[in-house]
Amino acid sequence: MAALLYAAKAEACPYELVLVTGDNPEAPGLSLAEVEGIAVVRIPKPTPKDKSRFFAALDIQIRKAGAEYIALAGFMRILPEDFVRAWENRMLNIHPSLLPRYKGLDTHQRAIDAGDKSGGCSVHIVTPGVDDGPVLAQTPVAIIPGDTPETLARRVQFAEHQLYPATLAAFVTRERSPDYLRARVRELAMALPEADEVTSHGMPCFGIVKGKKFAYFTEDHHGDGKIALLVKISGADEQAALIEMDADRYYRPAYFGDGWIGIRLDLGDTEWDAISDWLRKSWLAVAPKKLAGLMAIAEDF
């Protein structure tokens, strides 16, 4: 926690700590955060009987602070599935092993006993499975002959303090990263039946194999400064209605006419389920009737 706190003091750091809390109101980290001017909430330590009440209170306090992400640091309790789902893809944890090796406890001893050349640490997205989420970054730490769990743990902590702030910084800015946004669009577009990708007008373009195009990924196209998805729509009326509804997000793409809409992806709050729906509707707009009919049948099942 302290490593994240002090990294956040750097002018270039893209995240800000808005709250420090936990399951132990006497934890020294809470006092450190208070001295450093970070908001702290001390929630009474939960008992087995009031575990659900504790996590409900925790969720309320985190949201009240205006937090967008959660970074777990030394939080050793198994999180309820409903809490994890509520913060899906917005909660990170650091674990003292090179996942997927050695989930759970006693990681250093297990690595030594196995004769591994390295221990280490991993930052991963939290999912309902314990230490089971996608790994974002890792740092291996050499195991030295004669190492004990304690000596290895001390070196792994140095690695943790370097890895976690950098990984958190990259994670909170990914929704504005062209590489990340392009990869997400590509994943969703290419999941549609008979989709292919080519480059058109200098942009990644998605179409039906040997058919019409249904989506473009734009990055500063014609110097407009936008990262966006272009999809087909019904015409000028729908285009105008979307722009009127949210002019910051929707726009008329240059040189594409009334049959397309630009959807900004670089605002930091993209709803990817909605983008998936836009891609599907755009795909249906150009798909041959036979192919579109097969898709509709598959969805019915």
Side-chain angles (χ1 to χ4, degrees):
M1 187 280 294
L4 296 175
L5 187 156
Y6 290 120
K9 288 177 175 285
E11 187 175 344
C13 184
Y15 67 81
E16 173 190 1
L17 270 64
V18 296
L19 177 70
V20 176
T21 186
D23 65 336
N24 179 5
E26 303 305 319
L30 300 183
S31 298
L32 171 63
E34 284 179 327
V35 170
E36 292 290 353
I38 309 298
V40 166
V41 172
R42 298 177 184 269
I43 303 174
K45 186 178 291 188
T47 65
K49 290 184 178 181
D50 68 358
K51 181 180 176 181
S52 61
R53 188 181 307 165
F54 165 79
F55 279 100
L58 186 65
D59 185 76
I60 289 171
Q61 293 297 336
I62 293 170
R63 294 182 186 279
K64 184 178 177 181
E68 298 178 38
Y69 301 92
I70 296 174
L72 302 178
F75 191 84
M76 300 300 290
R77 292 184 180 272
I78 295 176
L79 301 169
E81 184 170 348
D82 58 348
F83 184 88
V84 175
R85 296 296 183 197
W87 290 92
E88 188 173 11
N89 291 320
R90 292 185 292 155
M91 181 160 47
L92 303 188
N93 182 46
I94 190 159
H95 181 73
S97 80
L98 297 176
L99 293 171
R101 292 183 180 180
Y102 314 129
K103 300 174 183 179
L105 303 175
D106 302 320
T107 59
H108 305 308
Q109 184 68 66
R110 291 156 69 191
I112 293 169
D113 290 346
D116 293 349
K117 292 183 178 179
S118 296
C121 54
S122 306
V123 177
H124 66 95
I125 298 173
V126 177
T127 58
V130 176
D131 302 325
D132 201 35
V135 173
L136 299 174
Q138 294 181 317
T139 300
V141 175
I143 296 177
I144 300 171
D147 254 339
T148 66
E150 292 74 25
T151 59
L152 178 57
R154 284 197 290 271
R155 295 199 307 283
V156 169
Q157 270 199 330
F158 283 117
E160 290 178 334
H161 296 170
Q162 299 295 315
L163 181 66
Y164 207 177
T167 305
L168 179 60
F171 187 77
V172 302
T173 57
R174 66 181 186 155
E175 288 287 351
R176 292 182 173 87
S177 163
D179 291 343
Y180 172 80
L181 296 171
R182 188 185 307 108
R184 287 299 308 268
V185 167
R186 178 178 289 119
E187 178 186 10
L188 295 172
M190 295 301 291
L192 293 165
E194 296 192 22
D196 68 351
E197 179 183 354
V198 297
T199 299
S200 178
H201 304 289
M203 300 179 288
C205 170
F206 304 93
I208 296 173
V209 175
K210 297 181 181 179
K212 296 180 179 180
K213 309 307 177 188
F214 64 87
Y216 290 82
F217 177 86
T218 76
E219 182 183 342
D220 196 29
H221 190 53
H222 294 291
D224 63 7
K226 299 181 178 73
I227 300 175
L229 172 70
L230 309 185
V231 292
K232 291 191 69 64
I233 53 174
S234 59
D237 289 344
E238 184 179 9
Q239 186 185 77
L242 288 167
I243 294 171
E244 183 178 358
M245 178 181 68
D246 189 348
D248 291 330
R249 190 174 310 275
Y250 298 102
Y251 67 97
R252 187 180 192 276
Y255 308 109
F256 276 79
D258 296 335
W260 294 81
I261 191 70
I263 308 171
R264 295 283 298 269
L265 303 175
D266 53 359
L267 302 179
D269 60 351
T270 300
E271 294 184 10
W272 288 102
D273 287 343
I275 293 300
S276 180
D277 288 342
W278 275 114
L279 285 165
R280 177 183 169 278
K281 288 188 288 187
S282 190
W283 181 93
L284 285 169
V286 303
K289 290 183 179 179
K290 183 177 180 181
L291 188 58
L294 289 173
M295 185 178 187
I297 291 172
E299 288 181 340
D300 287 342
F301 281 98

